[in-house]
Amino acid sequence: MAPTTRTTQARRRQMLALALGPALGLPVRAESLVPLFVGTGAPSDQTPRMLAWVARRMNITWDYRPTPWLRAQKLTAAGDGVMFGLTRTPQRDKLLRFSLPVWTNHTWAVVRDGQQAGITRYADLDGQVVCWARGSSYGELFTHAGLGRMDAREAGDDDGALRMVAAGRCRAALITLETDDAKQAARHPALAESRRRGLVLVPVPLAVTPLHFAVGQGSRWISVIDRIDGVISRSRSELEKMRQR
C-alpha cells in the first residue's frame, strides 16, 4: 500500500472515530498531527521535554522535521508548518507570526582556548570575524547593540560554526543555549566535541533573548499559535521550572 493511501485511510479512521464516538459512548480523541520544524543540531534536555509537554496540553502530536535553520524559516514562512526556537526581529516579523515567549535563551561565544579573556558583551567582538549558523538573528542583535554590520562567516549549523572557529577562520562562534550557567552550558550536547577541538566558552553569556514558536503570516497553522499562547499564559511558572532543570 502506498504511503499516501495509508495516510488517507488513517485520517478517515480518525474522522470516523470523532463522528461516532459520542453516539457509541466512546471518549473523543481530538488529536492532530502538526509539522514542527526544528534545527538539525543536538537539542538540550529541556527542549524535547518542553515540546512534548506543550503537545500533551494541546492534545496534538508533533511531526518533527529537523531542517537547516534558514530553510526551516523559509518553509515556515511559506505556511508548511510551525517552527520552534526563533527570536523575534523586525525582519522576521514581516514574514512570521510569533507566539508568546516560551522562555529566555542565552547567546554564548565559543573561542579557542586561551582567547576567552576580555569577551563579556557583543561590543567586545566589534570589528572581528564571527561565525554563526546560517539563518541566525545574531547580525540583527549586533545592529541593535549599535555595532553595525558584523563581518560574519556563516555555517550550515552550530557544529559547522564551531569547526570554523577551531580552524581559525573566525574569532568566535556564537551559539544559543537555554542556560545562563557556564558549567551547565559546557555540558550541552552541541559542545560535546568542543574540548577536543581546543574550544571553550567565554565566561558569561553575551545576551538574553526570548524564544518563540512561529508560523507564516496567513498560514493554515496560525490557530496552533493561538493554542500555544493559551498554554504559555496559563503555565508560565511551570515552563520556567522546566527550563531550569
Side-chain angles (χ1 to χ4, degrees), residues 11-244:
R11 288 175 178 167
R12 286 175 179 169
R13 287 195 297 270
Q14 184 181 49
M15 292 175 65
L16 183 62
L18 290 172
L20 295 180
L24 299 176
L26 300 174
V28 176
R29 187 183 179 109
E31 184 177 67
S32 54
L33 191 65
V34 179
L36 181 68
F37 295 106
V38 293
T40 55
S44 70
D45 291 337
Q46 294 91 339
T47 296
R49 186 184 303 122
M50 179 275 294
L51 292 174
W53 184 88
V54 169
R56 287 195 300 272
R57 294 299 185 279
M58 295 169 58
N59 195 26
I60 64 170
T61 299
W62 295 124
D63 176 14
Y64 289 100
R65 301 185 181 184
T67 308
W69 207 238
L70 183 58
R71 177 164 174 74
Q73 292 176 59
K74 291 180 178 179
L75 291 171
T76 302
D80 291 348
V82 180
M83 185 173 180
F84 173 71
L86 285 173
T87 296
R88 289 187 69 169
T89 69
Q91 184 61 36
R92 287 174 176 171
D93 274 334
K94 296 176 183 178
L95 302 173
L96 301 169
R97 175 177 167 185
F98 288 85
S99 72
L100 294 171
V102 180
W103 53 38
T104 54
N105 255 15
H106 300 81
T107 299
W108 292 84
V110 182
V111 299
R112 291 182 294 282
D113 198 2
Q115 299 185 9
Q116 59 267 44
I119 301 178
T120 60
R121 56 196 179 115
Y122 279 137
D124 296 328
L125 293 171
D126 194 15
Q128 302 185 54
V129 180
V130 181
C131 295
W132 58 60
R134 189 174 297 111
S136 301
S137 61
Y138 300 123
E140 290 189 64
L141 292 174
F142 273 108
T143 299
H144 293 325
L147 302 178
R149 186 175 179 84
M150 294 301 298
D151 186 359
R153 302 288 184 272
E154 293 189 327
D157 53 23
D158 285 343
D159 190 62
L162 293 171
R163 288 197 301 270
M164 290 168 73
V165 71
R169 296 180 59 188
C170 48
R171 172 74 168 88
L174 299 184
I175 62 172
T176 300
L177 306 174
E178 288 136 1
T179 182
D180 60 355
D181 180 79
K183 291 183 178 179
Q184 187 175 349
R187 295 193 295 269
H188 191 282
L191 298 173
E193 295 294 309
S194 61
R195 286 287 183 185
R196 186 183 61 79
R197 292 169 175 166
L199 303 177
V200 295
L201 284 168
V202 298
V204 295
L206 304 185
V208 178
T209 52
L211 205 62
H212 306 258
F213 289 88
V215 295
Q217 297 283 7
S219 169
R220 62 183 286 243
W221 303 105
I222 277 184
S223 63
V224 175
I225 293 295
D226 293 333
R227 294 171 64 189
I228 289 172
D229 281 350
V231 171
I232 293 172
S233 62
R234 293 190 301 268
S235 310
R236 177 64 61 195
S237 61
E238 292 176 76
L239 286 166
E240 187 58 25
K241 289 177 182 177
M242 197 180 306
R243 183 184 72 84
Q244 295 177 358

